[in-house]
Amino acid sequence: MSITRTQVGVIGGGPAGLLLSQLLHLKGISSVVLERQSRDYVLARIRAGVLEQGTVGLLHEAGVGARLDRESQTHEGFDIAFSGRRHRIDMAGLTGGGVVTVYGQTEVTRDLYEARDAMSGVVIEEADNVTPHNVESDAPYLTYEKNDGIHRVDCDFIVGCDGFHGVSRSAIPELVLKTFERVYPIGWLGILSKTPPISHENLYVRHDRGFALCSQRSSILSRYYVQCAVDEDPDEWPDERFWEELKARLPEDAAASIITGPLVEKSVAPLRSFVVEPMRYGRLFLAGDAAHIVPPTGAKGLNLAASDIHYLSQGLIHFYDRGDEQGLTNYSKIALRRVWKAERFSWWMTQLLHRLPEHGAFDRRIQESELEYLFSSKAAMTALAENYIGLPYE
Ligand code: RFL
Ligand code: PHB
């Protein structure tokens, strides 16, 4: 067995794990990232597209802001359509200049991998059977398998950034870990199309046939979603069926202006709200999707992963800088406060805009009436806008 040593052992080379190792490296703290998949696999995943300004700031701090500045777009608002009409949430106007940045998670991850390479950061791909050990002690370690050998990484701390299906959460005893969950019995069928988006800003649609979302990655790449069954087979959605269903849910002007083309990616994502508490056990910390999941309606998942990494990197930096453990002690409490606010917002947007099986005629009327109220009240629109642009970090 080969044995190496590092200060922080990170499980998972998604955005959370890579961002953490990059921020630590810039402060002279060593880390090893263990990723189960190949880099090509990680970079082929199409996921988030909307970044809060806190996330953008953190990416700059990590030294990966240059391409983002050149290629991203800024959105000052978005539309919600219901009863056949579009209504705008003027985020910038309502919040005194708040905006979001549109730049794909795939690009964020690519930039982080390149930055790690440029600094000779250690990211071990295709690491099998990664297992955290002795997390309750002062000498935790990780083991993994690669190239027919077993390897061991001794460290001061282990950080689980291994997403919802990772292993790190299960290192916390069941008696300690509290789980909070709501599973929505629906999914989102998402596609990419190499065509210009229908408008500069995103459009969320509440329709009797189900929710739809018109989003984008650039001026020539569109991302569209339609609500579907959770066990929907994407192969049963040939291009024409997808475009027809999307158009049927859009207001007439949007449906008329949509530019269709071949679908270049097609997948179904389930909708789930999920939180575990605490996010720390001994010398093991959880961050990002390993600790919490939101339904994608509020565009918060990647942004929450980033805010966890903000708090945790600060805690680790203060610990190594001056032996100050307070940031690490308070990590779980402070991160969870922000997590729960985003959970509430994502749940609220989800139940406002989707057709859920449990909804009867009464619930549909309540939905319509809540939307009518939203667009009649500057206070209600402001509450939506300030959550969408992202609540401030503590
Ligand atoms: P990730 O990205 O899942 O990365 C975890 C990494 O860990 C690896 N891994 C392991 N490695 C070693 N050993 C193991 N046993 C391992 N098990 C897993 C995995 O291979 C992977 O590389 O988690 P992270 O870093 O916490 O990042 C979270 C975000 O990816 C996620 O929250 C967002 O994508 C959610 N999300 C959105 N978030 C936003 O902020 N804005 C959006 O607009 C937005 N849209 C979305 C989304 C997620 C979606 N899907 C598909 C779930 C839209 C969609 C459709
Ligand atoms: C996306 O572009 O993938 C996207 C945008 C907004 C959301 C969710 C996903 O709420």
Side-chain angles (χ1 to χ4, degrees), residues 11-17 34-37 41-42 45-50 105 127 130 161-167 188 223 225 269-270 287-290 296 299-305:
I11 311 178
L34 301 178
E35 166 58 48
R36 183 172 57 185
Q37 306 286 355
Y41 182 94
V42 172
R45 289 195 292 230
I46 310 291
R47 287 186 169 178
V50 177
Q105 177 169 333
V130 176
C161 297
D162 46 351
F164 182 63
H165 299 287
V167 290
W188 279 18
R223 178 90 166 133
Y225 297 94
D289 280 15
K300 290 289 166 234
L302 174 60
N303 292 301
L304 279 185

Side-chain angles (χ1 to χ4, degrees), residues 275-296:
V275 183
V276 294
E277 297 180 359
M279 288 169 62
R280 174 198 188 163
Y281 180 69
R283 292 235 166 183
L284 169 71
F285 295 85
L286 302 179
D289 280 15
H292 41 73
I293 295 286
V294 284

Side-chain angles (χ1 to χ4, degrees), residues 279-329:
M279 288 169 62
R280 174 198 188 163
Y281 180 69
R283 292 235 166 183
L284 169 71
F285 295 85
L286 302 179
D289 280 15
H292 41 73
I293 295 286
V294 284
T297 327
K300 290 289 166 234
L302 174 60
N303 292 301
L304 279 185
S307 58
D308 288 353
I309 295 304
H310 163 73
Y311 297 128
L312 185 56
S313 60
Q314 289 296 309
L316 288 165
I317 290 163
H318 292 161
F319 173 82
Y320 283 111
D321 248 13
R322 44 180 200 252
D324 174 0
E325 287 200 37
Q326 202 168 357
L328 294 179
T329 306

Side-chain angles (χ1 to χ4, degrees), residues 79 86 195-203 205 213-216 222 224 243 246 250-251 253-260:
D79 279 1
R86 285 167 84 147
T195 48
I198 57 160
S199 60
H200 169 60
E201 293 176 350
N202 290 352
L203 168 63
V205 185
L213 169 60
C214 305
S215 180
Q216 54 206 279
S222 300
Y224 293 104
W243 291 120
L246 178 66
L250 299 182
D253 64 318
S257 67
I258 202 161
I259 302 174
T260 63

